[in-house]
Amino acid sequence: MILVYFVLIISISAYDYHNNTSRIYIHEELPPSTLVFSSISSSDDLKWLPSSSIFQKYFYLNQNQSLFTTNEIINREEFCEKQICQCSECLIKLNFLQTFSPHNVSVKTIQIIIKDINDHSPTFKKTFIQFPIAENIPIDYEIPLEPAIDNDYGLLSIQNYELQPKNNNPFILIKRSKPVLKLNGTLDREIKSHYLLKLIAYDGGQPSLSGEQNIEIIVSDVNDNVPIFDQIIYRKSLPENQQVESRIFKIYASDLDEGENARISYSIDDQSAICHIDERTGEIYLKKSLDYEKQRSYSITIKAHDHGIPQLNNYVTFIIDVTDVNDHVPNVLLTEVNGTLMDHHQINLPECKSKDVPILYIHVTDKDSGDNSRVHCTLNDTRLSLIVLTTNAYSLQISGSPLFDYELEQSVAVHLQCTDFGLPPFSTSILFNIEIDDCNDNPPEIIFPLRSNKSLLIHYETTDTPFIITQFIIRDRDRFQSNLFRYSFNVLPSLNLTLTHNGTLILCSMPLITGLFTINVTVYDNGNLTNTITIPINIQSIDDTIEMENFSMKNTSLILLLIFFIIVFLAAILISLCFLIACLLRTKNSKLERNSIRNSSSESTNSSNERAGSSQKTTIEVFEEATNSSNRIYQYGIKRASDMKVINTSGNHQTDFGYSEKVERYLTQLNSRETVTDRDEGVYGSSDVSSDHVQQVTIRPLSISSVHSPQQVYQDSLKRFEQLYALVEHRRKANLNTSSSSSDSLYV
C-alpha cells in the first residue's frame, strides 16, 4: 500500500488538437509536489479559469507551466461523494486561459481521470447479526445476507466472499450479487441450537483487503418459512422534482406459513434513508427531496419479517435512480483579460480599441446536466460580439463598425442574457457598464481662415509691416485636448513671416520682389494629429494693380481675336490637305496614260510597212557618208518641212518651222559626243509639244549616258526620231477626221 502511494503512473491517453484538450490518467492520493503534466502550454501567460477554481487546492502551476499536486490529498471517493466527478469514471476538467498575443487567446483544457487505488477495506453495516432458524427448514434453504460495502470502484471493490468455518458447518456460502447462506444439511436443535459463523469479504486489490461480519444462527422449531419477495431487486427512476410524501413504489413479499407466522411487516432499518415504507402494505413514500446535482442514485435495503416465533426475515434492495430536471438557472461569471473576477460589473474601454481583441471573458455554469446545463448568451449591443472559446465560455470583443466614440457617448450599458436549453429554459441576465475612454482620434479642425483659392491682395507701398495676415481659430473634438496647438509653415517663394504660438500669422517685412506667394500652414494637436491649409497672398505695387485691372478689361477682346486666328489657320490647313490629295490623284492618272502611249509607240514601229501604203505617208531617209570612219557626218534633208505639223491638245494645227534647226543642233551634239540628258530639247520638248499634251501623253526619250561607237549613236538617234514620228502620227490619227492626200517625207 505504501509503495502505491509513492509510485506515480501517469499515461497520456489522447490529445485533441481541434479542441485544445489533453487527457491524462493519474492515481488518487498522490504525494505532494508530484508532477502531473509537463509544460501545459507554450504561452508564458497561463491562468486558471474560474470554472476550475475548485481544483486549485489540489493542483498548482509552477513557472514552467507544469502541473503539480499540492498537500491536499486527492480522494477519488470524496470527489464522487461530492459530485465533483462521476463515480463510474472520475473525470475532472482543468481549464486554463492561455494568451499567446493580444489577438491570440484560447482555452487549454486538461482532462484528468483519477484512477482508483485500493485504499478502502470492505465493511459491513453490522459487525454482528443473528438469524433465528426453525429446525424444520428444508435442505437448500437460503438465507440472504446483507452485502459488504467497499468505497473503491471496479476491480478494487468487493470481489469475493468466504464463510468460516468450513468444516462441521451445515451452511455453505453461495456467491451471487450478494452473499447467501444455504443450508446444506438438516438442523437439529437438540444437538446444536446455534451456530457461530464468520463472513469475510475480499476486494480485488493486490494485496487484497478484507472485512468481517459475525453471524449467529439460532435454531428453533417454530415458524419454518421466511418471507419471499416477488423480485430479486427493485429499481425505480424518479425526477429530482418528485414531490415529498408522494407514493413512489410498492413491494410485495409472501410467506408460506399460516397465521402470525405468515403475517409480514416491512421496514427500513436505515433511518437516514430518503423514503419510508408502510410496514403493513409495503408502499414506499418519498421522505426527502431529491437533488440530481447532489446525488444521482440511492440504494435502500428493505426488510420483510413475519410474526412467527422465532421471527423470520428477508431482505431486498430498492434502487432509486434520480433523473435531471432543469431546475437551476445559469450562473454567469465575468472575468477580465488578466483573469481577475469582475465584481463591480464595470470595465473601461478606450475608444480606439481595435476589434477582434478580447475585452473580457464570460464563463457560465449550470448545475444541471446535458442540455439543461448547456447555455447560449446574447447581447443587446450589435457593436459587441461573443466569440465561443469552449462550452459555456465566451470572449467579449468589438465586432466592427460603428465603433465606440467617446465624443458621442461616454458610457454604454450592456445587457447580457444567458439561457440554457432545458425545458422549460432558464435564463440569467447581467447588466454591466462599459466606460469609454477618450483617444486622440480627431485631427484639429481649422475654423478660420476659410479655405479659398482666392489670394489675399497686399499693396506694397501702403501696407505697414509688421502686418497681420490672419488669425487661426482651431477646434479639436477630442475632450482631453487642450486649446494649445503647435504650428509650422513653409512659403514659396521665400517670405519673412512669423507664426506665433497662439496662431497669428504676421508678415514681418516686405519682399524685394512682388508677386504671388503660397503659404502652407500645418496645425498639430497634443497627439501629433495634423491638419493643413494653403493661404495664397498676392503682394503687388499700386501701379501693377492698375495695369492688371486694365488688362483684365482687354482680356475679352484679345481672347475673341485669338479664337478668330485659330479658326483661319485650321481652315488653311484643311484646304492645303484637299489640294495635296487632288494633285496626288492627278499624278497617278498621268502615269497610267504615259504607259498606254508607250505601248502605242511600240505598235507603230512594228507596223511601219502598213503605214507606207496608207494615203497619208511620212518617209524618213538616212544618208551616211563613210568617207571618214572615225568622224561620220550625218546629213539630213527634210522634204516639205513646212508640212510637218504637231497637233496640240486643243485640236488646232500648228506649223513647226524650227524643227529642222532643232534636228541639226541635236546631230551636232552627237557628232561632238556630248552626253544627252533625259530632257533633250534637241529632238522634242516644250516647243514641240504643248504642256497640256505632254501631261496627257508623255514619251520620254532614251537617255544616252555614254557613246560606245558611232554606229550605236546612230541607232539611238534613229530611235529618237521614230519616237517623235510615232507621237506625231498618233496625234494626227486621234484628231483628224479626214485623210490627207499630201505626202510628208522626212529625210535624215
Side-chain angles (χ1 to χ4, degrees), residues 597 600 693 697 725-735:
I597 293 300
S600 300
H693 181 77
V697 181
Y725 176 82
L727 176 62
V728 175
E729 191 71 17
H730 176 74
R731 292 306 176 187
R732 287 178 180 177
K733 289 181 179 182
N735 294 283

Side-chain angles (χ1 to χ4, degrees), residues 266-301:
Y266 304 95
S267 64
I268 297 175
D269 295 336
D270 188 2
Q271 298 299 323
S272 63
I274 64 169
C275 57
H276 63 87
I277 189 170
D278 188 325
E279 65 175 7
R280 186 175 57 86
T281 63
E283 293 178 340
I284 301 174
Y285 296 88
L286 186 64
K287 185 171 65 175
K288 298 178 181 179
S289 60
L290 303 176
D291 193 342
Y292 176 84
E293 287 70 36
K294 292 182 178 180
Q295 189 168 347
R296 302 184 180 184
S297 65
Y298 297 89
S299 180
I300 302 170
T301 301

Side-chain angles (χ1 to χ4, degrees), residues 668-687:
T668 304
Q669 292 176 356
L670 289 179
N671 191 44
S672 61
R673 291 180 173 84
E674 292 180 359
T675 303
V676 180
T677 61
D678 288 341
R679 187 177 183 273
D680 192 350
E681 295 182 355
V683 179
Y684 59 90
S686 59
S687 59

Side-chain angles (χ1 to χ4, degrees), residues 1-7 28-29 31 116-121 152 156 203 205-210:
M1 180 67 69
I2 298 176
L3 182 61
V4 173
Y5 285 162
F6 291 91
V7 175
E28 64 176 340
E29 300 184 8
D116 194 15
I117 64 174
N118 196 19
D119 58 341
H120 293 86
S121 299
D152 293 326
L156 300 180
D203 62 17
Q206 295 293 333
S208 178
L209 302 180
S210 63

Side-chain angles (χ1 to χ4, degrees), residues 479-649:
R479 300 299 174 89
F480 72 90
Q481 176 68 45
S482 64
N483 291 327
L484 296 179
F485 300 92
R486 294 180 293 108
Y487 301 88
S488 67
F489 70 91
N490 63 76
V491 58
L492 291 175
S494 178
L495 197 62
N496 186 10
L497 297 175
T498 298
L499 186 57
T500 63
H501 67 279
N502 62 351
T504 302
L505 183 61
I506 301 174
L507 176 63
C508 298
S509 63
M510 288 295 179
L512 297 178
I513 60 174
T514 60
L516 183 64
F517 298 84
T518 302
I519 305 172
N520 296 314
V521 180
T522 303
V523 184
Y524 303 82
D525 63 7
N526 290 341
N528 288 329
L529 294 181
T530 64
N531 199 346
T532 303
I533 186 172
T534 299
I535 302 175
I537 64 172
N538 189 3
I539 301 177
Q540 293 291 340
S541 174
I542 296 178
D543 296 336
D544 296 337
T545 304
I546 296 174
E547 292 178 0
M548 290 296 295
E549 293 177 353
N550 294 331
F551 176 75
S552 62
M553 296 176 63
K554 298 178 181 179
N555 283 341
T556 304
S557 59
L558 291 175
I559 292 174
L560 293 176
L561 184 61
L562 181 61
I563 293 174
F564 173 76
F565 281 113
I566 291 174
I567 293 173
V568 172
F569 177 73
L570 294 176
I573 292 176
L574 182 61
I575 294 173
S576 300
L577 290 175
C578 294
F579 181 77
L580 180 60
I581 292 171
C583 292
L584 292 175
L585 294 175
R586 189 171 185 180
T587 303
K588 184 176 180 181
N589 294 331
S590 300
K591 289 181 179 180
L592 294 176
E593 292 180 359
R594 285 197 299 269
N595 290 335
S596 62
I597 293 300
R598 288 194 185 98
N599 294 334
S600 300
S601 175
S602 176
E603 293 176 358
S604 300
T605 304
N606 293 332
S607 58
S608 58
N609 293 329
E610 295 178 359
R611 291 194 308 269
S614 63
S615 60
Q616 183 180 358
K617 190 174 181 180
T618 301
T619 303
I620 300 175
E621 297 180 3
V622 179
F623 300 95
E624 178 182 359
E625 185 177 350
T627 57
N628 188 1
S629 60
S630 62
N631 187 13
R632 293 187 236 179
I633 299 174
Y634 295 89
Q635 295 180 354
Y636 63 93
I638 299 176
K639 181 180 181 181
R640 296 174 65 182
S642 59
D643 293 333
M644 290 294 295
K645 297 179 181 179
V646 178
I647 303 172
N648 57 18
T649 56

Side-chain angles (χ1 to χ4, degrees), residues 209-266:
L209 302 180
S210 63
E212 298 178 355
Q213 184 185 51
N214 294 318
I215 303 173
E216 183 181 9
I217 304 295
I218 300 174
V219 180
S220 66
D221 56 352
V222 181
N223 194 18
D224 55 354
N225 289 289
V226 296
I228 302 298
F229 291 97
D230 59 350
Q231 294 184 23
I232 298 175
I233 189 170
Y234 294 96
R235 198 177 198 102
K236 178 67 175 179
S237 295
L238 295 177
E240 61 175 330
N241 60 350
Q242 180 72 34
Q243 188 176 359
V244 178
E245 296 299 334
S246 61
R247 179 181 177 273
I248 59 175
F249 203 72
K250 181 180 180 180
I251 63 174
Y252 176 77
S254 61
D255 197 316
L256 297 178
D257 296 326
E258 294 181 351
E260 288 296 313
N261 294 333
R263 186 166 63 90
I264 298 173
S265 296
Y266 304 95

Side-chain angles (χ1 to χ4, degrees), residues 634 670 704 707-718:
Y634 295 89
L670 289 179
I704 302 174
V707 179
H708 301 286
S709 64
Q711 184 65 27
Q712 183 67 33
V713 173
Y714 170 77
Q715 293 177 357
D716 292 340
S717 300
L718 181 59

